[in-house]
Amino acid sequence: MKKILVTTDLSYHSKPAVRFAIQFASQTGDELTFLYVNTSFVIDPWSTVAFAGLSEPDTKKQEQVLIKFIHTLYRQTNIQPGKINYRVENKLDVNEAILDCVKTIKADYICMSTRGGGIVNKLLGSHTTRILQDSPVPILVVPRHYRIKKLSNILYPSDLENIESELPLIKKFAASFDASIAVFHYDYFKEEEEIKKKFNKIEHKFKSDKVSFYFKKLNPEVSLLRHLQIDIMKTKPSIITMFNKENRSWFEQLLDPLKTSEKGFNTRTPMIVFRKNK
């Protein structure tokens, strides 16, 4: 059983991540911990008002609000809760609270929406990149237009440079909910004999009943991102994989899920972002 930390600010915009986590756990049996980071006790950092004498936030009351919020979503999804936990943290730095909680509960994944509401819209929305860089565990990034459905297939866009180390991670992840994996690779010189031999060798080595390969020719007049968008629309994957690594020129357009999301990168498909190798 894996442990998934699911972040929420109790807003409408954070619901997609909760719904996705509920569906995911219903298929995997994983344990969910729902985290709400309260920043409402913040007055104004530039104010001359002294913080001495301010009453402590009512954590118990906040926890009850969190529980009600989560249970409402469970009822709406018609899924019975499995093993779930609730945590409320009162901190100014949302990112720090999330990463601290990952260590405390020994989470295997973080699940979060790409956008939040209110204060967290600023903190989570603009700082998700920081979480991606600093997180010691993979992150499930759920877009705001996600609609709940059974998870069955994974799209893995790959430059093939690190497939020997990346594919086993994806296979292990996919096995938890019996998903198939479609590996997509794009190349300008797909038709050249040496390139064909390279692709055939890779496919022969890694193809299985759960792993299939699609080698596509890149059109120089169309961006890599656009090529991928078209294939996502055709194949309708449950999840897209990303590897948050530096110095990967072939993949640099796709490394930052926030930026690609802002460019219209299939805003309905969740992504799992694996940490870069140190």
Side-chain angles (χ1 to χ4, degrees):
M1 178 187 290
K2 298 291 186 182
K3 295 181 178 180
I4 304 174
L5 179 65
V6 188
T7 66
T8 177
D9 63 357
L10 309 180
S11 74
Y12 171 83
H13 298 290
S14 69
K15 288 182 179 181
V18 176
R19 291 193 183 104
F20 174 85
I22 289 172
Q23 177 63 41
F24 188 83
S26 75
Q27 295 184 225
T28 64
D30 289 341
E31 177 180 340
L32 301 179
T33 296
F34 297 99
L35 171 67
Y36 167 55
V37 183
N38 174 43
T39 59
S40 62
F41 62 93
V42 180
I43 300 178
D44 179 355
W46 306 109
S47 173
T48 57
V49 176
F51 285 85
L54 286 179
S55 59
E56 288 293 320
D58 189 339
T59 302
K60 286 292 183 182
K61 184 176 180 180
Q62 293 164 350
E63 186 175 298
Q64 290 304 311
V65 173
L66 172 61
I67 291 172
K68 183 179 179 181
F69 179 81
I70 298 301
H71 276 249
T72 297
L73 293 178
Y74 267 103
R75 285 196 301 273
Q76 291 173 356
T77 58
N78 292 315
I79 294 174
Q80 290 298 314
K83 187 168 178 53
I84 58 177
N85 309 289
Y86 304 94
R87 292 183 68 93
V88 173
E89 298 290 342
N90 297 291
K91 288 189 177 180
L92 298 179
D93 191 325
V94 176
N95 293 303
E96 180 183 317
I98 293 171
L99 295 175
D100 284 349
C101 193
V102 167
K103 296 176 184 176
T104 300
I105 70 170
K106 297 185 169 78
D108 297 286
Y109 302 102
I110 299 172
C111 181
M112 60 197 305
S113 296
T114 54
R115 302 242 187 264
I119 294 177
V120 178
N121 182 38
K122 301 173 183 177
L123 295 176
L124 281 185
S126 60
H127 290 236
T128 304
T129 301
R130 191 179 133 198
I131 292 286
L132 290 171
Q133 293 295 329
D134 295 342
S135 174
V137 299
I139 301 176
L140 291 155
V141 184
V142 185
R144 57 183 172 176
H145 296 303
Y146 167 76
R147 294 295 179 266
I148 195 167
K149 64 178 181 178
K150 184 177 180 180
L151 307 172
S152 60
N153 56 330
I154 295 174
L155 190 150
Y156 166 34
S158 175
D159 59 6
L160 305 180
E161 294 300 316
N162 293 81
I163 192 168
E164 293 214 21
S165 60
E166 294 178 357
L167 188 55
L169 293 175
I170 300 171
K171 288 174 69 175
K172 186 177 180 180
F173 172 72
S176 65
F177 54 104
D178 195 31
S180 61
I181 302 168
V183 184
F184 278 74
H185 175 76
Y186 304 86
D187 198 294
Y188 291 113
F189 309 104
K190 173 181 176 290
E191 304 303 327
E192 292 191 5
E193 199 58 35
E194 285 301 311
I195 299 296
K196 284 184 178 181
K197 288 181 181 179
K198 173 187 173 183
F199 292 165
N200 288 336
K201 184 178 179 181
I202 290 173
E203 184 172 16
H204 179 74
K205 183 175 182 179
F206 295 106
K207 186 177 180 181
S208 71
D209 60 335
K210 285 290 186 181
V211 179
S212 54
F213 283 81
Y214 300 87
F215 301 108
K216 300 296 191 86
K217 184 175 177 61
L218 266 177
N219 180 343
E221 297 181 359
V222 181
S223 70
L224 172 60
L225 175 60
R226 182 57 185 159
H227 278 86
L228 183 56
Q229 285 177 315
I230 291 170
D231 285 323
I232 289 170
M233 287 187 284
K234 288 179 179 178
T235 61
K236 295 180 172 57
S238 304
I239 301 175
I240 302 167
T241 62
M242 295 283 178
F243 282 84
N244 187 21
K245 296 185 178 184
E246 297 173 344
N247 303 318
R248 296 280 295 279
S249 57
W250 183 90
F251 215 39
E252 64 183 346
Q253 299 177 67
L254 307 177
L255 286 180
D256 188 336
L258 282 183
K259 290 181 180 178
T260 53
S261 175
E262 287 167 1
K263 294 174 184 175
F265 180 59
N266 192 277
T267 55
R268 294 182 185 273
T269 308
M271 289 175 277
I272 181 168
V273 184
F274 291 90
R275 62 176 298 189
K276 65 183 180 181
N277 292 329
K278 299 294 184 181

